[in-house]
Structure formats: structure tokens, C-alpha cells
Amino acid sequence: MSELVRKLSGTPPQPAFPKGAVDTQMHMYLPGYPGLPPGALPGPEDYRQLMQWLGIDRVIITQGNAQQRDNGNTLACVAEMGEAARAVVIIDENTTEKDMERLAAAGAVGARIMDLPGGAVNLSELEAVDQRAHAADWTVAVQFDGNGLLDHLPRLEKIRSRWVFDHHGKFFRGIDTDGPEMAALLKLIDRGNLWFKFAGVYESSRDAWPYEDVAAFSRRIAAHAPERIVWGTNWPHNSVRETAAYPDDARLAELTLGWLPDDAARHRALVENPEALFKLPPLKAV
């Protein structure tokens, strides 16, 4: 197999991203850490090229599965990126208050739960993670097979932290826009502490581009609560193994952000909503 080549430049998204745009979902890597992805190492300099291409000003670096519960790589990447970056890291029932203070000082603003194969911390630790995140005023990024939403609903309703349902909800078997899962999701959003993330649409869509199955319910959620949508590149697209299949990030951003109801909602998804979710300072203070 030939080496994977990641596209890092091209025609910028149209319309242009607003000043202060935040990428809320991506991974980054530095040499010397375990679990590196295929192809040339996708590090800070590559990502800065992507930022310039797309018009991204700020970024949330998410702990990758390959590093499991070792946050070293993620925090080192935040240090490399400077004030433009914050992190979503791994914590668990053994994470102490002093650990939380140390992580926050290094740029952590959230904790990750991924209840899918390869995830470091799953829903069995939801309450322990939520307790610590809530005390620290962090966000919890939660990812699971969305078709199990109704099964998990009693516990999700008890989350006290701000939290975000990752990757378009990962409804692997699809979702009826007028069905019980959608009704439950909208009700959760209406509670006021849940956001919904547009990122990695290709990971759960059963359709080829332009991913109309995910588009349908994403439009419904965005129309219902435009103040609760955030967006991410999902760079460097670790599930993609061949150059020919590697997405054009500008066209992918145009597609998914086009599911928002209007330009005002697009601006909110890129700027105000992630600021509220992750308690980011306004760009002028960065």
C-alpha cells in the first residue's frame, strides 16, 4: 500500500469562515508517543496549514483512542499550538482533584467518553467522569452507538456537566426524524446542557457523499436548536487509509455546515456555540 497523503491546501470554504472559528474535533500527534496513525505524522505544522486553508482560528484537540488513558501526547500538542488550542482528555474514577488542576493548567477543558470499540473510557464510568467534570466546569464529550439512546436515556438525563453528543450521534442503523429516538434527543437538548457535534459524518453514514441519511436528521436538529450545534473537521481522518478516499476538508465543511438553517446559525456553530460549550475566551482575549 502506498503512503497516505493528506490534502492540506486548496480552495477555501465558501462562504468564508468567520473570525474566531473553532474546530471542536480533531486529533494531533508528536513523535515519541505510542499509537501513531498511518502516513506522514499529522502534527502541529500540518494542522496549521489546514487552519490557514479553512480559516480556523481555534481548536479543541481530542485525546485519540490509541493513547488510551495517557494524555501526554494531547497535552504536548496543546503546548505546541499555544493559546489557540485547548484539549479534551481522559479522566476516570481514579483522577484526583490535583490531577484535574494539573490537566486544566495544561489546557484541558473537557473529558472524553467513547463507548465504542477502542475507546479508553466508556459509559460504565459516566457518573465518575461527570462528577469530576462538573466540579471543574468542564465539558464531557460523549460518543456511543446512537441507536442505544433510549437505553441510556435515564443516565444521560442526570448528566450535570455541559456535554456534547459526538459525531452526529453515530446512529449506525439510521434514525427516523419523527421517531422516538429523535424526540428523546431533542428533549435532551432542550434541557440546556447538551450540544450536538457535526463531525466525521462518513463514519456512521450508510450513504455515499452527500450523506443524505445523516443530513436529514442533522438538519432537523439544527433547525430545532441552532444554538446547540458545534462543528469539527475530524482531522486527520484516522479511519481513512488510502489517499484516493481522503476527504477534501473544505468541501466536507461546506457540505455539513450547509445543513444549518441560515448564515446566523453557521456563525453560531463556528464561534459562539463552541465558546459556550468549552468556556473559551473571546478571540480578542486569546
Side-chain angles (χ1 to χ4, degrees):
M1 182 185 299
S2 60
E3 184 177 21
L4 175 66
V5 177
R6 299 180 179 88
K7 183 179 175 68
L8 296 172
S9 62
T11 303
Q14 295 297 324
F17 279 18
K19 192 67 176 173
V22 183
D23 178 358
T24 68
Q25 175 72 38
M26 56 80 67
H27 307 291
M28 187 182 291
Y29 304 89
L30 287 169
Y33 292 92
L36 300 179
L41 191 64
E45 289 308 312
D46 284 343
Y47 185 72
R48 288 189 180 101
Q49 291 184 54
L50 187 83
M51 293 176 81
Q52 183 175 6
W53 171 24
L54 300 187
I56 296 166
D57 290 308
R58 296 174 288 179
V59 59
I60 305 297
I61 303 173
T62 300
Q63 172 81 349
N65 290 337
Q67 282 76 46
Q68 289 293 291
R69 302 189 187 208
D70 181 352
N71 293 305
N73 173 77
T74 298
L75 297 178
C77 288
V78 170
E80 285 287 328
M81 293 299 296
E83 281 301 307
R86 296 291 188 271
V88 168
V89 297
I90 296 298
I91 62 173
D92 57 27
E93 63 183 1
N94 296 314
T95 304
T96 66
E97 186 174 345
K98 287 189 177 297
D99 292 334
M100 294 293 291
E101 292 172 355
R102 176 183 58 80
L103 290 166
V109 293
R112 187 183 199 197
I113 288 177
M114 184 177 180
D115 199 65
L116 290 169
V121 172
N122 60 35
L123 285 170
S124 68
E125 300 186 67
L126 174 62
E127 287 75 16
V129 171
D130 178 43
Q131 178 186 25
R132 288 159 177 77
H134 183 260
D137 201 19
W138 283 14
T139 294
V140 181
V142 181
Q143 186 175 167
F144 58 88
D145 182 342
N147 293 112
L149 178 65
L150 298 179
D151 295 331
H152 301 307
L153 192 58
R155 297 173 69 207
L156 298 174
E157 290 175 334
K158 295 177 182 177
I159 295 176
R160 296 189 297 160
S161 308
R162 298 181 307 281
W163 65 287
V164 57
F165 198 7
D166 266 349
H167 289 270
H168 296 273
K170 286 280 179 81
F171 292 97
F172 291 113
R173 297 189 300 280
I175 180 173
D176 181 350
T177 57
D178 294 314
E181 291 165 334
M182 178 59 69
L185 177 53
L186 297 182
K187 187 175 180 180
L188 275 175
I189 290 172
D190 289 344
R191 293 171 64 89
N193 66 327
L194 172 59
W195 281 252
F196 189 82
K197 186 185 291 177
F198 283 19
V201 55
Y202 49 81
E203 291 187 351
S204 58
S205 177
R206 296 173 298 166
D207 296 342
W209 181 284
Y211 313 118
E212 284 297 335
D213 56 341
V214 176
F217 68 77
S218 296
R219 290 189 186 103
R220 172 74 189 280
I221 296 166
H224 178 82
E227 75 281 6
R228 288 289 181 262
I229 305 298
V230 295
W231 167 88
T233 59
N234 204 39
W235 191 85
H237 309 287
N238 285 335
S239 64
V240 179
R241 301 293 176 172
E242 298 179 357
T243 300
Y246 197 81
D248 181 313
D249 282 285
R251 308 290 78 77
L252 185 60
E254 289 174 343
L255 176 73
T256 56
L257 291 169
W259 298 339
L260 294 160
D262 52 36
D263 289 342
R266 185 176 184 272
H267 194 285
R268 294 175 80 165
L270 290 169
V271 182
E272 291 87 0
N273 295 352
E275 286 180 346
L277 174 61
F278 292 104
K279 289 293 183 77
L280 302 177
L283 182 65
K284 63 183 179 182
V286 172

